Amino acid sequence: MSEDPDLRIIEPSRNAKPGEIVAFGAYPHTAEGADRTPIQWRVLQNSRRGLFMLSERLLDCKRYHGTSVDITWRDCDLRKWLNDEFYNAAFNAAEKESIATTLCTGNGEGSPDTEDKVFLLSVTEIR
């Protein structure tokens, strides 16, 4: 059990209220990757479809794309990393089953919609 009284370990789409901090998945927080620290998420919304959560802390530092080119979210390196390397490192098989695929609508001119498990907040979601 967590020593932090404000941190609850839950399964997604359970009775978490917006603003609550929940633990879900684990990700290494050292360069060696030896530790697997539980990821703390802030619940932004709880609907019939499940929880919409934002990582409470920065988990890693990655570039949007490896080269300086005009590129959309659909084709950037960060999207590929989040939905492959990060997704596979952070979540076990049972956790992966409970993560819904989300339609991410284009965030600007010429930015096509994508379907992702893990994504950055859009400008609209941030506002």
Side-chain angles (χ1 to χ4, degrees):
M1 195 71 187
S2 170
E3 294 178 19
D4 184 346
D6 295 329
L7 179 66
R8 294 185 2 186
I9 297 175
I10 65 156
E11 294 178 32
S13 74
R14 297 285 185 222
N15 296 325
K17 295 181 177 92
E20 280 189 305
I21 306 295
V22 298
F24 183 73
Y27 190 72
H29 284 70
T30 61
E32 302 81 35
D35 68 317
R36 293 204 26 90
T37 304
I39 303 171
Q40 295 181 23
W41 302 90
R42 180 168 300 274
V43 176
L44 300 179
Q45 182 179 22
N46 187 346
S47 68
R48 285 178 281 158
R49 296 182 315 176
L51 300 178
F52 184 55
M53 303 187 300
L54 174 68
S55 171
E56 185 67 5
R57 293 183 173 81
L58 294 177
L59 301 174
D60 216 319
C61 182
K62 298 288 181 188
R63 288 176 176 238
Y64 184 77
H65 197 66
T67 58
S68 183
V69 296
D70 187 19
I71 194 161
T72 65
W73 171 250
R74 180 189 66 193
D75 300 316
C76 76
D77 293 341
L78 182 57
R79 177 176 176 250
K80 292 174 188 137
W81 179 81
L82 281 171
N83 285 280
D84 183 20
E85 290 177 55
F86 172 77
Y87 178 75
N88 288 312
F91 306 110
N92 64 34
E95 291 165 339
K96 287 177 186 177
E97 285 183 25
S98 64
I99 299 173
T101 299
T102 299
L103 175 65
C104 300
T105 56
N107 216 12
E109 285 186 39
S111 186
D113 296 346
T114 60
E115 292 185 348
D116 300 310
K117 298 284 189 179
V118 184
F119 53 92
L120 303 179
L121 291 177
S122 69
V123 172
T124 303
E125 290 162 338
I126 290 171
R127 287 183 182 150

